[in-house]
């Protein structure tokens, strides 16, 4: 069975990374060594912010609310449950990633390309094996199986409770498999970010596809 790389939200962790990356600049870029050293610290912080997990980010909250608002439109209850399921996988996945900046290239004094190697774990098989236990714990707390939630909720607030309970149980169960995760198959991919300085602050503008 082909492994699935969970990258649905493009949210990753960069808790620490090697400072031993290359620094390059286009020939026409005029910038001092001192400026580069000062800039790079701020650029690193901008990248860390981009990779930090935030369960209340605008993107996550928007997707979560959309699923809850339209829960009746899902053909199957399991399609709805995929949302909190993958949210839990992504959050746990960030705890086991080891990513590294490989190069910062100056396109201009106020714009750079940051090249990063992302290293993480395939969690799908482990998560699938957690479902039976998660279902048991969910039923013990809620009184019904996750797949039967539509027959048991009366309003969207109760749907939200289903979403959050299922996500939190999956997250807790995955974290109990720490040793399995540490021994799981790894993936590695190359990406780049455009980071720009505006109003004296460096911020990520765009994430690019895999770098060939």
């Amino acid at each position: 069975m082909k492994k699935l790389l969970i990258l649905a939200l493009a949210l990753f962790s960069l808790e620490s990374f090697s400072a031993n990356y290359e620094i390059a600049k286009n020939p026409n870029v005029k910038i001092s060594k001192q400026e580069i050293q000062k800039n790079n610290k701020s650029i690193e912080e901008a990248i860390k912010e981009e990779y930090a997990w935030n369960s209340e980010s605008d993107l996550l909250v928007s997707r979560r609310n959309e699923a809850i608002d339209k829960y009746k439109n899902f053909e199957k209850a399991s399609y709805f449950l995929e949302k909190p399921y993958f949210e839990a996988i992504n959050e746990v996945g960030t705890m086991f990633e080891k990513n590294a900046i490989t190069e910062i290239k100056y396109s201009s004094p106020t714009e750079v390309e940051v090249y990063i190697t992302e290293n993480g774990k395939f969690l799908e098989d482990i998560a699938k094996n957690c479902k039976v236990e998660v279902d048991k714990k969910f039923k013990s707390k809620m009184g019904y199986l996750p797949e039967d939630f539509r027959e048991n909720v009366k309003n969207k607030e109760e749907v939200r409770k289903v979403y959050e309970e299922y996500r939190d149980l999956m997250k807790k169960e995955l974290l109990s498999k720490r040793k399995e995760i540490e021994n799981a198959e790894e993936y590695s991919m190359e990406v780049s970010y455009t980071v720009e300085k505006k109003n004296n602050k460096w911020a990520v503008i765009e994430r690019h596809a895999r770098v060939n």
Side-chain angles (χ1 to χ4, degrees):
M1 183 176 179
K2 188 176 180 181
K3 297 288 193 301
L4 175 66
L5 177 57
I6 306 299
L7 294 172
L9 300 178
L11 295 170
F12 304 93
S13 174
L14 201 67
E15 294 300 322
S16 61
F17 52 84
S18 171
N20 298 320
Y21 50 78
E22 294 183 8
I23 301 170
K25 63 184 181 72
N26 289 340
N28 60 334
V29 176
K30 294 182 179 180
I31 186 170
S32 69
K33 183 178 179 181
Q34 289 76 18
E35 285 179 291
I36 288 176
Q37 289 175 336
K38 181 180 178 181
N39 287 341
N40 285 0
K41 290 181 180 179
S42 298
I43 292 165
E44 288 174 13
E45 289 303 315
I47 292 293
K48 281 184 179 180
E49 288 179 14
E50 186 70 14
Y51 275 69
W53 179 265
N54 179 5
S55 63
E56 296 305 315
S57 70
D58 290 343
L59 176 61
L60 273 176
V61 170
S62 173
R63 292 186 176 182
R64 192 182 302 143
N65 288 341
E66 182 180 11
I68 291 167
D69 288 341
K70 298 180 179 179
Y71 77 96
K72 291 182 180 178
N73 297 340
F74 287 90
E75 185 178 349
K76 296 180 180 179
S78 59
Y79 295 165
F80 170 85
L81 293 170
E82 285 180 354
K83 305 299 182 180
Y85 173 78
F86 284 121
E87 187 176 325
I89 290 174
N90 276 290
E91 182 171 1
V92 173
T94 64
M95 303 175 189
F96 295 88
E97 289 179 351
K98 296 178 182 179
N99 305 316
I101 293 175
T102 56
E103 182 182 2
I104 295 179
K105 184 176 182 179
Y106 282 78
S107 305
S108 76
T110 57
E111 184 177 305
V112 300
E113 292 296 318
V114 181
Y115 297 89
I116 297 173
T117 300
E118 297 178 344
N119 301 289
K121 300 284 188 176
F122 288 102
L123 301 185
E124 191 198 13
D125 287 348
I126 297 172
K128 282 182 178 179
N129 292 334
C130 290
K131 278 188 172 182
V132 172
E133 191 61 29
V134 168
D135 284 358
K136 287 180 182 178
K137 291 179 179 178
F138 185 95
K139 185 176 182 180
S140 175
K141 186 163 186 177
M142 304 293 284
Y144 53 86
L145 287 169
E147 288 77 8
D148 298 328
F149 83 90
R150 286 197 283 202
E151 292 79 29
N152 290 275
V153 296
K154 298 176 182 177
N155 52 53
K156 289 181 181 178
E157 284 309 307
E158 291 184 5
V159 177
R160 184 176 299 279
K161 186 176 180 181
V162 168
Y163 186 109
E164 293 174 352
E165 189 66 34
Y166 191 77
R167 177 199 61 200
D168 294 346
L169 285 171
M170 179 59 67
K171 176 184 171 183
K172 187 175 180 179
E173 195 65 24
L174 275 170
L175 287 173
S176 74
K177 311 293 183 184
R178 180 174 293 272
K179 194 169 184 69
E180 289 181 44
I181 294 175
E182 289 173 350
N183 294 326
E185 182 181 347
E186 297 182 349
Y187 69 83
S188 180
M189 65 182 295
E190 304 296 323
V191 300
S192 70
Y193 286 86
T194 299
V195 186
E196 192 175 274
K197 186 178 185 180
K198 284 186 176 180
N199 300 321
N200 209 34
K201 180 176 175 62
W202 288 92
V204 170
I205 303 300
E206 186 177 5
R207 173 186 167 96
H208 302 282
R210 183 187 297 258
V211 179
N212 295 321

